[in-house]
Amino acid sequence: MTARDNDPFEIDTMIALRRDLHAHPELGFEEVRTSDIVAAQLAQAGIEVHRGLGKTGVVGTLRVGDGGRAIALRADMDALAMPELSELPYKSVVANTMHACGHDGHTVMLLAAARHLARTRKFSGTVHFVFQPAEEGRGGARAMIADGLFERFPVDAAYGLHNMPGLAVDEMAVVAGPQLASSDSWEVTFHGVGTHGAKPHLGRDAMTAAAHFLSMIHTVVARRVDPLQPAVVSACAIAGGDFRALNVIPDDVRIGGTARAYTPAVRDQLESEIGQLAQGVAATFGITAEYSFLRRIPPVVNDVDTTRRALAAAQVATGRPVVTDFPPSTAGDDFAFFGAAVPGCYVWLGNGPAVDGALHHNSRYDFNDEAILTGARFWTALVEQELR
Ligand SMILES: [Zn+2]
Ligand SMILES: [Zn+2]
């Protein structure tokens, strides 16, 4: 028996690598160091490496036997533009840049599995290890697809995984149907006629219109969307007037926010209802409204058959019952573009209890190294079961 038989996933090396990535986080499309490390680790294991998809993206391809089925396993590599406030020995050395979503762990778990599979080769078919840049709102998945990801690497299914505090490190949640919401932005600008604050009747007040719009916008979800369909509309920014000119009613007031839904129909409805409300309020006040709705990412909706396959792998990886009633998150993930192109499944892997209440995107969040083994086992089981 060799050391590797006891440690098939090179766990100590992988923990050290995870901490190294944590200390050297990079923002979306800037994952130069990270993608160099990923490419080197794949190449060293004898895996075919393709670079440059979505700028800093990396695809590792492993073909074994003559199996005709191909699957893509995706890990995201980017960090967030925020300061790390923890006292960890491997805390970020890059100012205002931090792995606060655990993508350092995602990268390492997929690497650990890829290297293991390249050694053991107990499957027949093709697996593409997709290391995606820029998941955090910068459009990495879209960029890889635009660079021909699925033409160059055609697959029958795609899988994604995200860490989740609150579940144990040897626990997974795999659920069919909606997992993450669509994540879109909207903006309304009310164009009135600016005037002296003492003589509002001589102008057309965009400020008051904006106030009515803000108080009414929550009726879109409460009164217009089917109460059995989850949806969120939030106003998150407002701009108008000047605190140095408190006797001036401005011409324009601009409001922006986010809209979230789990189905294309509700997503369409939010787009039209927010706009209708803005136009209606503007008309009431005799002014005009300019409206835009920016579709950023669709919802992540797990395909039934692909989910069944992921569930079987999660069972093997954890050796305990898999959580199948985990509630969807109102956050978004651009894995949605992979799931829209091919049958997809996005699973949750426990990160242990939230330490000091730190959740994703918290300045003290840290991926739990204890989860690396479960994650690597999951990817391995999935490949060995899917590509028999
Ligand atoms: Zn995130
Ligand atoms: Zn994330």
Side-chain angles (χ1 to χ4, degrees), residues 76 101-103 106 135-136 162-163 332-333 346 360-361:
D76 38 17
C101 205
H103 299 183
H106 299 169
E135 187 282 322
E136 298 284 5
H162 208 289
N163 71 93
D333 190 310
Y346 185 96
H360 295 139
H361 296 202

Side-chain angles (χ1 to χ4, degrees), residues 176-327:
Q179 297 308 296
L180 291 148
S182 57
S183 176
D184 300 321
S185 308
W186 54 266
E187 258 193 60
V188 175
T189 303
F190 290 104
H191 297 292
V193 177
T195 184
H196 198 298
K199 301 170 185 173
H201 61 293
L202 300 181
R204 292 285 187 186
D205 188 356
M207 195 62 86
T208 303
H212 277 79
F213 171 77
L214 273 181
S215 65
M216 288 174 77
I217 192 157
H218 302 293
T219 64
V220 170
V221 172
R223 305 284 79 182
R224 302 293 295 169
V225 175
D226 178 344
L228 298 179
Q229 294 288 340
V232 182
V233 175
S234 292
C236 303
I238 182 164
D242 192 319
F243 280 85
R244 295 165 301 182
L246 295 179
N247 54 357
V248 175
I249 294 172
D251 285 314
D252 304 321
V253 177
R254 184 177 168 208
I255 301 174
T258 190
R260 312 269 164 144
Y262 293 96
T263 66
V266 174
R267 193 182 188 199
D268 291 347
Q269 190 185 6
L270 295 181
E271 173 170 9
S272 68
E273 298 272 359
I274 297 167
Q276 269 175 38
L277 182 67
Q279 301 301 349
V281 169
T284 302
F285 288 89
I287 64 173
T288 60
E290 207 177 305
Y291 175 60
S292 64
F293 188 93
L294 177 67
R295 291 185 171 237
R296 295 177 56 246
I297 50 180
V300 173
V301 182
N302 280 353
D303 170 70
V304 172
D305 177 56
T306 315
T307 302
R308 187 179 51 70
R309 296 160 185 267
L311 184 69
Q315 216 104 50
V316 169
T318 62
R320 62 189 274 178
V322 177
V323 180
T324 53
D325 59 353
F326 199 69

